[in-house]
Each structure stands twice: as structure tokens, then as C-alpha cells.
Amino acid sequence: MGKIEMIVKYLFQSRVVSHIFFWGSYILFYTLLWGSYDDDYVGSFAIQLMFVPVKMLLTYYTLYILLPKYILKGRWLPFVFLLIASAFTGGALYRLIAYYIEYPLYFPQYIDGDPLNFYKIIKGIMDIYIVVFLALVIKLLKYWYVNQQDKQILAHEKLEAELKFLKTQINPHFLFNTLNNLYALTLKKSDYAPEVVLKLSELINYMLYECNAHKVLLDNELNFIKNYIEIERMRHGDDLDIKAMINGDSANVYIAPMILLPFIENSFKHGINEELNKSWIDFDLTVTDEQLVLKLANSKSETQHLIESNQGIGLTNVKRRLDLLYKKGYSLEIHDEQRSYTVSLSINLNLEK
């Protein structure tokens, strides 16, 4: 962080320093402005100091009483009354300082017989409220900025809560399906059951300890998917033909955790049918510098109709997660044909860098 950035940050963080900076800048500006007329900067500075107490009094009265208690609460009638009363009180004080201090010291020719001249009071009010309205604008902009920040924080917290909720739905859903697979193997007294238990423990370890971050390495996610596919391969044996291809360099590529799994789960869930002589699943993943493209297809019988309402909680949740995490940075196409079901997913990897 540069020195200028540090100074600006300090000015905005410290209320006392920021107020001193504001009034110092205001006095300096008018000292230079009026002092340049007769080349008397010392006198101009002294005159500015004379009127600063009145200007500060009206400024802080407006900022810390009229603004929070009346303007922000929409109490306009009492606000107008108090504004007029305070303005004329301040204008009268301004006029008295000018008449009894400024004029005798610097402009004796301006002394007249009426210290509370109405028109001179109006002129004093105009001079006072230049700085009052300037400070008010700054304060309102600060309120707006803080309000926008609060809205962004609330929106972010709401997004985080929704994403966590979707994850908690996906994980038990996945575990339920995998345990069903293990149960089926134990009923068959399959020799693969111990290996499935081992791979299942690896899957659970990944879900509990590695995929809690907003994004994970694609290689880790692919290892998780490979373990899942192996479990399914052991479960179905020769009844299922699985082709899995991964193209491109997946090193140092990040992706939202468990964003691909629901599509793969869905393929196994609906791609294996007793009506088919041979069930099949094709998994093709291509990684480039900018995109991840998944093409996933599975067999289906002519009597199957995989309408969206029957796809289960997994796909519904993953679509919502894609919307939240990638917004317009992804495309998803699902084709439910007579003998096959195809998913094409493209994700912009630049959003994860």
C-alpha cells in the first residue's frame, strides 16, 4: 500500500483527524482566496478564525441533531422550523462578531448604526451555510456508502448461507446413494465390498476435510469422481460399460467443490436399467486455459422419461449453485432423447482464478 493510500485510509478511519483535515482545508482555501485580493494572508487567516466557531456550531448542530433526528426520519416540519431558527441564530452571531470584532480591527468604515441589520444577517447565513451544506453532502455520501457496504455484506452472508445449505443437502444425498450401493454389494456377498468401504472412507474424508473451501483443485475433485466411478464399476461389473476421458492440463485449475458430482450421480442412477441389454455411460472432460467442458451421456430405455421434476435433489441443487457461483459464466444443456440422456456443461475458469 502506497503512502498516499495509507494517508487517505487514516483520514477516513479517524473521526478526529478527518474533522481537523476538513476544517483546516476549509480555512486554508478561504484564506488563500480572500488573502489574494489585497495580498494580506495573515489578516485573511485571522478573519476566518473569527467565524469558524459559529460555522462549526451550525455545522455540527445540523449533522448530529437535525440530520439523524429529523432528516433521516422524515420529520420535515420540525426540521424546517429548527433549521430556520438555527440559521437566524447563527446569522445573528455571525453579524455580531463582524460588527464588534472584524470591522473595528480591519474595516472600521463598514461600521453602521445597526448591529443586527436584517440583510447583513441574511448575508451571514449564506456564508455560514456554504460550509454547512458541504459537510452535509459529505455526511450523506458517507451514510450512503456505509449503507451500500452493509447491503453487500448482507447479500454476501445470505449467499454464503444458501450455498452452505445446498452443500448440506448434496452431501447426505450422495452418501445415501453410496451406502445403498455398499448395501447391495454386501447382500450379494461381493468380494468388492471391502474395497468399496475403503474408497467410501476416502470420499468421506474428502467431503469432510477438503471440500469446505469456496474452491478446490480440479485434480482433487477428479480423484474424488474417479473413486466414485470405481465404486459404481465394482457394483455393476459387466452389466455396465463406462468410458471416462479427461483431456487437457488440470493442474493448478480450481473449481467449486462437488459441482460435477450430481451430474455423474444422475447418469448412474438413470443410465442403468434392467430393460437394456447393456447399459453405458460416457464421461468426457476437457480442460483448456479458459474453460472446463463436461460432456456426459448415459443410456436409457425407451420407457424412461427423465423429466426435470424427477431428477432428484442433486441436479436441482447443483443448478442453483451454478447460478450463485458462476452467474453468467457457465452454460448447461440437457437433452433427454429416446435412447440417451446427455448433459453438456461449460464453466468459465477465469472466474475461479
Side-chain angles (χ1 to χ4, degrees):
M1 184 182 293
K3 289 185 178 180
I4 296 177
E5 292 181 57
M6 292 178 64
I7 293 172
V8 172
K9 186 176 180 181
Y10 180 69
L11 286 176
F12 281 98
Q13 285 184 341
S14 173
R15 176 177 292 186
V16 174
V17 174
S18 62
H19 284 221
I20 293 173
F21 176 77
F22 174 81
W23 288 109
S25 301
Y26 173 80
I27 293 169
L28 179 62
F29 174 78
Y30 279 98
T31 296
L32 296 175
L33 178 65
W34 297 117
S36 63
Y37 283 97
D38 52 8
D39 203 28
D40 182 10
Y41 293 101
V42 175
S44 177
F45 178 72
I47 291 171
Q48 293 303 317
L49 290 180
M50 289 179 195
F51 297 104
V52 161
V54 178
K55 293 178 179 179
M56 291 178 69
L57 178 65
L58 269 292
T59 297
Y60 290 122
Y61 176 75
T62 302
L63 293 183
Y64 295 108
I65 295 179
L66 295 185
L67 177 62
K69 293 186 177 181
Y70 299 97
I71 298 177
L72 295 180
K73 294 182 178 180
R75 301 170 63 188
W76 298 109
L77 189 60
F79 162 71
V80 172
F81 173 78
L82 291 172
L83 177 65
I84 294 173
S86 61
F88 275 95
T89 301
L93 290 172
Y94 189 95
R95 170 61 180 166
L96 291 173
I97 292 171
Y99 190 85
Y100 289 109
I101 301 177
E102 180 189 14
Y103 291 172
L105 291 175
Y106 296 99
F107 309 105
Q109 68 273 21
Y110 292 154
I111 298 176
D112 53 32
D114 186 6
L116 292 176
N117 182 285
F118 178 77
Y119 297 103
K120 296 294 179 69
I121 290 176
I122 295 298
K123 183 180 177 181
I125 290 173
M126 294 176 64
D127 189 28
I128 292 171
Y129 275 84
I130 289 174
V131 66
V132 172
F133 285 123
L134 175 61
L136 185 61
V137 169
I138 293 173
K139 191 72 172 179
L140 288 172
L141 286 174
K142 184 179 178 180
Y143 271 120
W144 175 84
Y145 175 77
V146 171
N147 186 51
Q148 290 299 112
Q149 291 291 101
D150 289 342
K151 285 182 178 179
Q152 289 182 5
I153 291 171
L154 286 173
H156 179 72
E157 289 177 351
K158 182 181 177 182
L159 176 65
E160 289 295 309
E162 185 171 357
L163 285 171
K164 286 180 180 178
F165 174 72
L166 291 173
K167 260 192 190 178
T168 60
Q169 286 184 305
I170 289 174
N171 290 0
H173 175 261
F174 161 75
L175 286 174
F176 178 77
N177 287 345
T178 308
L179 288 172
N180 274 346
N181 294 345
L182 178 60
Y183 178 68
L185 289 174
T186 56
L187 287 179
K188 297 177 183 178
K189 302 186 184 305
S190 171
D191 294 335
Y192 289 121
E195 191 173 347
V196 170
V197 171
L198 179 62
K199 291 194 174 295
L200 180 59
S201 68
E202 294 177 4
L203 297 180
I204 293 174
N205 180 73
Y206 177 79
M207 286 190 298
L208 291 178
Y209 302 109
E210 296 185 42
C211 72
N212 291 322
H214 292 294
K215 53 187 179 180
V216 296
L217 282 168
L218 179 58
D219 281 341
N220 294 343
E221 190 76 2
L222 291 178
N223 286 334
F224 176 83
I225 290 170
K226 287 175 184 176
N227 281 334
Y228 177 78
I229 291 175
E230 282 304 310
I231 289 176
E232 292 290 350
R233 194 192 300 273
M234 285 185 284
R235 176 190 173 192
H236 297 287
D238 296 334
D239 295 333
L240 176 64
D241 182 19
I242 303 175
K243 294 179 181 177
M245 293 289 294
I246 299 175
N247 308 299
D249 185 8
S250 58
N252 299 318
V253 175
Y254 286 87
I255 191 172
M258 299 187 73
I259 204 76
L260 305 178
L261 178 67
F263 298 109
I264 299 166
E265 269 193 292
N266 195 63
S267 290
F268 281 101
K269 180 179 178 181
H270 299 293
I272 302 168
N273 194 292
E274 294 179 355
E275 297 179 19
L276 299 172
N277 293 328
K278 187 78 171 180
S279 300
W280 55 268
I281 293 175
D282 287 346
F283 174 87
D284 188 288
L285 183 74
T286 302
V287 183
T288 65
D289 291 337
E290 297 182 352
Q291 279 190 323
L292 178 147
V293 178
L294 170 67
K295 292 184 178 178
L296 187 61
N298 60 264
S299 56
K300 53 171 285 197
S301 68
E302 296 181 9
T303 59
Q304 278 182 292
H305 298 286
L306 306 183
I307 59 174
E308 187 171 353
S309 61
N310 291 329
Q311 288 174 357
I313 195 172
L315 285 185
T316 302
N317 284 354
V318 78
K319 287 178 183 178
R320 180 59 180 154
R321 288 184 68 207
L322 284 167
D323 288 336
L324 292 172
L325 292 169
Y326 294 97
K327 296 180 173 61
K328 295 182 179 180
Y330 83 96
S331 65
L332 175 64
E333 295 181 3
I334 297 177
H335 300 284
D336 187 0
E337 299 175 356
Q338 189 174 11
R339 292 181 175 273
S340 65
Y341 185 80
T342 306
V343 173
S344 296
L345 173 66
S346 175
I347 296 176
N348 185 354
L349 293 175
N350 290 326
L351 296 178
E352 288 296 326
K353 289 181 179 180

